[in-house]
Amino acid sequence: MNARVVSKLFFRVPHRGRCVASALPPTARRLSTDKSSGQEGFLDQAIFSHEHVELRRSLSKIIENDINPHVDEWEDVGMFPAHQVFKKLGDAGFLGVNRPQEYGGLGLDYSYNVAVAEELGNIRCGGVPMAIGVQTDMATPALARFGSDLVKREFLAPSIAGDKVACLGVCEVGAGSDLSGIKTTAKRTGGNYVINGRKMWITNGLQADWMCLLANTSEGLPYRNKSLICVPMDSPGVHKVKNIEKLGMWCSDTAQILLENVRVPQTYIVGEEGMGFTYQMVQAQEERLWVAAASLLPLQLLIEETVQYTKHRKIFGQPVLDNQTVQFKLAELQTEVESLRSLVYRATGMHAQGKEVGHLASMAKLKAGRLARDVTDSCLQYWGGMGYTAEVLVSRFYRDLRFFSIGAGADELMLSLIAKYMGTLPKPRAK
């Protein structure tokens, strides 16, 4: 274990306690150090070791001491202090677990990254984990794998250290899941790229120091004319137009970004020109596995808290949990969560060995999104009127986790990719 994995206290704000499951009996309030939350149980999985558990335990301390006490306030104000939180995580080594040591990473294999992603699910909201995931598994994987030493030292190293906040600039209006349709251009002029376009739904966009941008760098075929370019967000011509209000993920800023004649050196390209779409597809595998892994603990926690609440909530003189339909539904949901966990771990083990896991990553992402909708909706129903308030966690995750069926590729795209891997997707008709 790298010595940089430490747990130090930093800024503190009085806990407002707006969403602390106050309606629950004490037995229903669980910390991430409980066996039910998975640290000791983590050892039951073949791909994890004591080193994984220690890494996870160190992260758990940061979550419980320095993140969860402030989540309610961050949700109220609509933004969390990304630079402060990321610096704390960077100092402890959690923003570059599987990145090369020469750029400040821990140099561990991908299974440690999934251990971190899963533990982030103990944060009592969806917005903070998602913002961290953008930094570690969405904006930087292609840079770490294909970038030059120059761009790695300029953008990857400070992102791993937590000194810079990253965002991923791929989506546009009319080009969300279908990235082949983006309109943003980056044209060569002298030794620079001149960039023009508009990016939408950019997580971390208001606080980011740099963007991993996907843009058209030529007039060729849509899958061969795109490049990934690192764009400093303080460059002239970069306009953070607005903070987009969302259904959930309230404490995570989501921006609309306008780029007008933005000049960046051509040396800021990631890898080869024209390979951006391919790099983004490779990057998407880790993005989708991250989403699936990060969903496991919130779903598990909601089931556990719902079991405890329905033991004590009475209707017509008996606990809600005494109804067989409730018992069976919760048993079904628990089974589905364990199925998802097994799929995530299998894909993780294969990916750590360098094997192709695109089909499994798509399946895990699809299952996570569908299950997030089923678990949150079913559990909220059993909470009754209390579930419709802002005082319990189930209502927050009902809002936040709905995004998992949309972000990182919508469910429908995942189904198309799985069908393609199965060989059942019809071939395009010749024109």
Side-chain angles (χ1 to χ4, degrees):
M1 182 61 57
N2 192 295
R4 289 172 59 243
V5 180
V6 296
S7 297
K8 299 177 182 177
L9 299 180
F10 71 137
F11 64 95
R12 286 188 173 277
V13 179
H15 181 36
R16 299 179 63 178
R18 187 174 60 83
C19 183
V20 292
S22 57
L24 288 177
T27 55
R29 301 168 191 164
R30 300 182 182 273
L31 297 176
S32 64
T33 53
D34 286 352
K35 184 175 181 179
S36 61
S37 293
Q39 285 182 4
E40 289 77 6
F42 222 30
L43 290 173
D44 296 336
Q45 308 302 328
I47 64 172
F48 297 121
S49 65
H50 286 282
E51 286 74 20
H52 291 86
V53 175
E54 288 306 311
L55 183 74
R56 182 170 173 167
R57 184 173 285 114
S58 295
L59 177 56
S60 175
K61 292 177 182 178
I62 295 176
I63 291 172
E64 294 305 320
N65 293 329
D66 306 312
I67 296 179
N68 277 343
H70 313 295
V71 163
D72 287 340
E73 179 174 1
W74 297 340
E75 286 278 291
D76 286 342
V77 300
M79 190 177 297
F80 79 100
H83 284 89
Q84 288 177 284
V85 173
F86 284 16
K87 184 58 180 172
K88 175 68 178 181
L89 294 170
D91 285 346
F94 290 112
L95 299 182
V97 171
N98 66 326
R99 302 294 177 232
Q101 291 181 324
E102 61 184 303
Y103 300 106
L106 300 184
L108 303 173
D109 69 50
Y110 184 73
S111 66
Y112 289 87
N113 214 49
V114 169
V116 168
E118 186 170 352
E119 184 62 29
L120 288 173
N122 271 317
I123 297 176
R124 296 180 71 84
C125 69
V128 175
M130 182 176 66
I132 297 168
V134 168
Q135 181 95 347
T136 60
D137 287 73
M138 302 177 200
T140 54
L143 172 60
R145 184 169 179 178
F146 304 109
S148 67
D149 180 70
L150 184 151
V151 290
K152 286 179 182 177
R153 296 198 181 281
E154 183 73 20
F155 299 101
L156 180 63
S159 298
I160 291 173
D163 294 326
K164 288 186 177 181
V165 174
C167 66
L168 180 63
V170 295
C171 293
E172 301 177 6
V173 174
S177 292
D178 180 16
L179 299 181
S180 66
I182 66 168
K183 303 300 183 184
T184 298
T185 60
K187 298 182 178 180
R188 286 175 173 267
T189 302
N192 297 321
Y193 283 112
V194 178
I195 303 169
N196 285 279
R198 188 183 297 266
K199 295 295 180 177
M200 283 290 290
W201 312 299
I202 307 304
T203 300
N204 298 344
L206 293 184
Q207 301 186 73
D209 299 292
W210 69 278
M211 172 188 287
C212 180
L213 173 79
L214 184 67
N216 297 312
T217 48
S218 71
E219 300 294 334
L221 296 174
Y223 300 106
R224 299 179 182 177
N225 72 335
K226 294 170 175 55
S227 302
L228 287 176
I229 303 169
C230 298
V231 179
M233 294 295 280
D234 60 357
S235 301
V238 175
H239 305 288
K240 301 176 181 180
V241 178
K242 63 179 295 188
N243 185 19
I244 301 171
E245 295 186 5
K246 309 179 297 296
L247 171 68
M249 307 284 191
W250 290 349
C251 66
S252 171
D253 62 285
T254 305
Q256 177 182 351
I257 306 295
L258 176 64
L259 303 112
E260 292 185 309
N261 295 319
V262 178
R263 292 178 177 270
V264 300
Q266 291 178 16
T267 53
Y268 282 4
I269 192 171
V270 175
E272 300 179 26
E273 186 173 283
M275 290 294 292
F277 188 89
T278 299
Y279 294 160
Q280 183 56 34
M281 293 304 99
V282 172
Q283 193 162 253
Q285 291 188 21
E286 295 188 4
E287 178 181 17
R288 290 161 187 162
L289 280 177
W290 185 94
V291 169
S295 73
L296 292 171
L297 287 187
L299 299 180
Q300 181 67 48
L301 179 62
L302 290 183
I303 293 172
E304 291 176 357
E305 290 200 348
T306 300
V307 167
Q308 295 300 324
Y309 184 73
T310 54
K311 282 182 179 179
H312 295 83
R313 182 189 177 205
K314 292 186 177 181
I315 296 180
F316 303 118
Q318 68 175 13
V320 172
L321 191 59
D322 284 1
N323 292 280
Q324 189 180 69
T325 184
V326 178
Q327 300 163 18
F328 282 11
K329 182 60 179 180
L330 292 174
E332 180 182 355
L333 294 176
Q334 182 67 63
T335 302
E336 294 292 332
V337 170
E338 290 303 324
S339 297
L340 174 60
R341 190 189 310 275
S342 296
L343 176 56
V344 170
Y345 290 172
R346 180 190 175 204
T348 297
M350 291 176 62
H351 187 56
Q353 296 171 9
K355 297 179 180 178
E356 165 62 32
V357 294
H359 61 304
L360 295 180
S362 298
M363 291 175 181
K365 167 62 173 58
L366 172 68
K367 187 65 176 177
R370 294 286 178 86
L371 192 55
R373 292 156 69 178
D374 193 9
V375 169
T376 56
D377 185 67
S378 297
C379 288
L380 189 148
Q381 186 69 22
Y382 297 146
W383 284 69
M386 182 59 70
Y388 200 67
T389 71
E391 296 182 11
V392 290
L393 198 62
V394 65
S395 62
R396 177 178 291 167
F397 280 135
Y398 180 85
R399 300 189 311 268
D400 288 357
L401 301 190
R402 183 62 180 83
F403 179 71
F404 284 178
S405 278
I406 300 172
D411 285 359
E412 292 74 18
L413 175 61
M414 298 302 101
L415 288 166
S416 294
L417 292 173
I418 295 166
K420 182 178 180 181
Y421 281 108
M422 294 174 64
T424 61
L425 194 68
K427 295 181 180 180
R429 295 181 181 179
K431 295 183 179 179

